[in-house]
Amino acid sequence: MNILLAEDDKKLGKLVKYVLEKKGGYHVDWVENGEDALDYAKASSYDVLILDWMMPRTDGIEVCKGLRAANYGQAIVLLTAKDALQDKILGLDAGADDYLTKPFEMDELLARLRTLTRRNFAPIQANVAAFGVFTLNRTSRRLFKSGDEIFLSQREYQLLDLFLQNIGHVLTREVILDRVWGIGSEVSYKNVDVTVKMLRDKLEAAQEEPMIHSVRGVGYRFER
């Protein structure tokens, strides 16, 4: 299961991400503000969004409202220190599927996630992007050439998806690092370059014409 965690408290964010990955076995992307939460949610396929209510650059309530207004159908959990009944009603009316009051036990969060994933939130429809001789299925997170699958690692998939959303635009290493690995990650630009090379090699092995172009001293540009 893929989860997007939006939490600006670094200590809590690191803890929740660690527990969900190690104890829950989930894949977790972590951002620290509402604007990034909106961008990530729209750009990738997540099963559950965990949103802190009080975040900089758009709070969790506004993120929730914005996504629901755009017909976002996946599960959303709000985390907040607000425990008044009216606050809970406000959160649920904004489109949240569940509400967890801080401080909370990690086991309770895991139990809530298990419950949510047993529910059917939206019909599963393949979101497919075709480019060159390739087809990227965003629902299954798989890449194909003429029906044959080309295996992508998690980071390679995220990188390719990011490139496809920004065709023709130069993406700096900083932007790639932020969008693929997340804020607060301890990887370096070398990790970015290595992942780009691995993805480029896989694409060029299937289609000789290069798609990923290096922009010296800046980053990379993707062309179909």
Side-chain angles (χ1 to χ4, degrees):
M1 184 165 72
N2 297 306
I3 294 176
L4 176 63
L5 169 65
E7 171 59 66
D8 65 319
D9 183 320
K10 292 183 183 296
K11 184 176 180 180
L12 179 58
K14 287 181 179 180
L15 176 60
V16 172
K17 178 177 170 64
Y18 176 83
V19 171
L20 293 184
E21 290 182 335
K22 298 301 180 182
K23 195 169 182 178
Y26 306 133
H27 165 69
V28 181
D29 288 331
W30 172 32
V31 298
E32 297 183 43
N33 65 74
E35 287 183 6
D36 284 343
L38 277 169
D39 289 342
Y40 274 63
K42 292 176 180 178
S44 299
S45 298
Y46 294 101
D47 299 289
V48 180
L49 307 189
I50 302 175
L51 305 177
D52 181 32
W53 185 319
M54 302 300 293
M55 287 188 294
R57 293 162 54 188
T58 308
D59 63 28
I61 289 290
E62 293 305 313
V63 172
C64 194
K65 287 180 178 178
L67 289 173
R68 293 310 190 204
N71 296 318
Y72 188 82
Q74 299 305 95
I76 298 177
V77 179
L78 273 178
L79 304 180
T80 180
K82 298 174 179 287
D83 60 359
L85 176 59
Q86 191 57 41
D87 292 321
K88 294 181 180 180
I89 293 172
L90 180 61
L92 295 173
D93 283 347
D97 298 287
D98 205 349
Y99 186 108
L100 201 54
T101 304
K102 298 179 181 178
F104 55 85
E105 295 293 334
M106 292 298 166
D107 284 343
E108 182 179 5
L109 175 58
L110 288 168
R112 299 286 186 97
L113 292 176
R114 289 193 295 271
T115 299
L116 286 172
T117 55
R118 288 196 293 266
R119 294 163 57 187
N120 181 23
F121 285 90
I124 298 174
Q125 298 178 337
N127 182 357
V128 176
F131 60 103
V133 298
F134 303 100
T135 300
L136 182 70
N137 188 313
R138 290 189 171 105
T139 303
S140 63
R141 302 168 78 93
R142 299 164 71 189
L143 178 67
F144 298 90
K145 178 197 174 185
S146 303
D148 296 325
E149 183 174 1
I150 299 172
F151 175 77
L152 297 181
S153 69
Q154 168 195 313
R155 299 303 182 193
E156 290 165 354
Y157 165 79
Q158 291 175 295
L159 177 62
L160 178 57
D161 197 16
L162 178 64
F163 277 139
L164 288 175
Q165 295 171 59
N166 296 276
I167 293 174
H169 297 287
V170 176
L171 297 179
T172 65
R173 288 177 175 84
E174 181 180 11
V175 167
I176 294 173
L177 187 63
D178 177 22
R179 296 302 177 90
V180 175
W181 280 267
I183 298 172
S185 64
E186 297 180 357
V187 302
S188 66
Y189 290 159
K190 183 177 180 180
N191 294 84
V192 173
D193 295 334
V194 169
T195 305
V196 169
K197 182 182 184 306
M198 293 172 67
L199 176 60
R200 176 190 278 150
D201 288 347
K202 290 181 179 181
L203 295 178
E204 292 185 8
Q207 174 177 294
E208 292 184 3
E209 182 180 352
M211 292 184 164
I212 302 174
H213 304 273
S214 299
V215 180
R216 188 177 180 85
V218 181
Y220 299 93
R221 184 183 70 254
F222 188 89
E223 299 287 354
R224 295 194 211 222

